[in-house]
């Protein structure tokens, strides 16, 4: 049995929709439906039934939904036990690029001091990819954004930072009205497929600003460098990137309130490496406490 099919089934039961489960898994709804049909053939019973626009579990589906989380937890623990001789003292951490270039090096430096014998393996990706990897046991923990959907009770989460939107502008434009800059200067967009880019897009709509779009990319470091070169301005989360301070750019606060990007650590409550994960989380909290939260940029205007 493909354990990933069980994850898909649980997501369908939780969300009541194959389309929503497919969105979270980043696959097509037809692929999810095929996985459910495969499970139904293996168990020789119908697991889901349509009720209007939603999908509900049958009595047999209810019983599987109750047993599947335990089965998946036991499988994760069994994998850790089977490989314990080869992987003892290892931690697999997923990370988004923003964390890789900002807080993660300091977090790892503190973690290595506390756990010098532990081997750490890093994997970068989007929050959606990292969520799925943690869920399937391919990663022990992920330093990333809070997903665009509520986490299930099988996950644990620690918030490290809340990052409101700010305007990045060349230093020569410091003190100018941010909305006027967004209307008159070329916009270097933060990738709208990412959470921070979506927040920026919603802000522009709320402020009724139609910017002059020039570029769209996913690297905040590259965006800061492009702003430094005078290629435009950008609406981005106020991150902990130290590299921004080396560029000739200023952060300008926005006049309208914006939703903050939530940045933290996620992991499975049932992980076989909970002691190491808790050490990692403690190191992350201490690093964030030393650095402080997002800088308080004085309001513009």
């Amino acid at each position: 049995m493909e354990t990933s099919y069980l994850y898909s089934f649980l997501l369908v039961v939780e969300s009541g929709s194959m389309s929503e489960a497919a969105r979270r898994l980043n696959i097509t709804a037809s692929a999810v439906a095929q996985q459910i049909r495969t499970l139904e053939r293996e168990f020789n019973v119908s697991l889901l039934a349509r009720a209007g626009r939603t999908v509900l579990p049958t009595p047999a589906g209810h019983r599987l939904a109750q047993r599947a989380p335990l089965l998946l937890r036991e499988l994760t623990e069994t994998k850790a036990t089977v490989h314990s001789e080869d992987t003892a003292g290892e931690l697999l951490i997923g990370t988004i690029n923003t964390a890789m270039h900002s807080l993660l090096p300091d977090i790892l430096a503190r973690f290595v001091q506390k756990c010098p014998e532990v081997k750490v393996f890093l994997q970068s990706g989007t929050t959606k990819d990292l969520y799925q990897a943690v869920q399937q046991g391919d990663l022990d923990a992920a330093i990333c954004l809070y997903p665009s959907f509520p986490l299930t009770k099988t996950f644990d989460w620690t918030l490290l930072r809340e990052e409101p939107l700010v305007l990045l502008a060349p230093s020569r434009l410091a003190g100018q009205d941010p909305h006027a800059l967004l209307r008159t200067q070329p916009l270097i967009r933060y990738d709208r497929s990412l959470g921070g880019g979506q927040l920026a897009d919603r802000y522009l709509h709320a402020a009724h600003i139609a910017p002059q779009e020039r570029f769209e990319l996913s690297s905040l470091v590259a965006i800061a460098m492009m702003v430094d070169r005078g290629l435009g301005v950008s609406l981005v989360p106020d991150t902990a990137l130290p590299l921004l301070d080396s560029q000739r750019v200023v952060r300008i606060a926005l006049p309208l309130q914006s939703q903050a990007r939530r940045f933290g650590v996620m992991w499975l409550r049932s992980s076989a490496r909970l002691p190491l994960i808790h050490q990692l989380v403690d190191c992350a909290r201490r690093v964030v406490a030393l650095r402080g939260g997002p800088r308080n940029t004085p309001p513009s205007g």
Side-chain angles (χ1 to χ4, degrees), residues 14 22 52 56 155 162-163 191 266 284 291:
E14 177 192 333
L56 297 175
F155 278 85
E162 289 191 324
E163 301 172 336
D191 191 341
M266 74 165 72
R291 287 204 182 187

Side-chain angles (χ1 to χ4, degrees), residues 1-7 9-10 39 42-43 63-79 135 154 270:
M1 179 192 301
E2 286 284 345
T3 55
S4 61
Y5 294 2
L6 283 178
Y7 284 113
F9 170 73
L10 289 174
L39 285 177
E42 290 198 24
F43 287 103
R63 291 191 289 273
L64 179 59
Q66 291 173 350
R67 289 286 302 171
L70 177 61
L71 175 63
L72 292 170
R73 283 197 299 271
E74 290 178 346
L75 180 60
T76 298
E77 293 171 1
T78 301
K79 285 182 178 178
Q135 185 185 51
T154 58
S270 60

Side-chain angles (χ1 to χ4, degrees), residues 33-34 42 75 96 108 136 138 140 160 173 180 191 229 269 271 279 281 294 296:
Q34 179 60 45
E42 290 198 24
L75 180 60
I96 58 174
L108 292 178
Q136 295 180 351
D138 296 328
D140 298 312
L160 297 178
L173 299 178
D191 191 341
R229 305 309 191 269
R269 296 176 185 269
S271 174
Q279 291 278 16
V281 171
N296 295 317

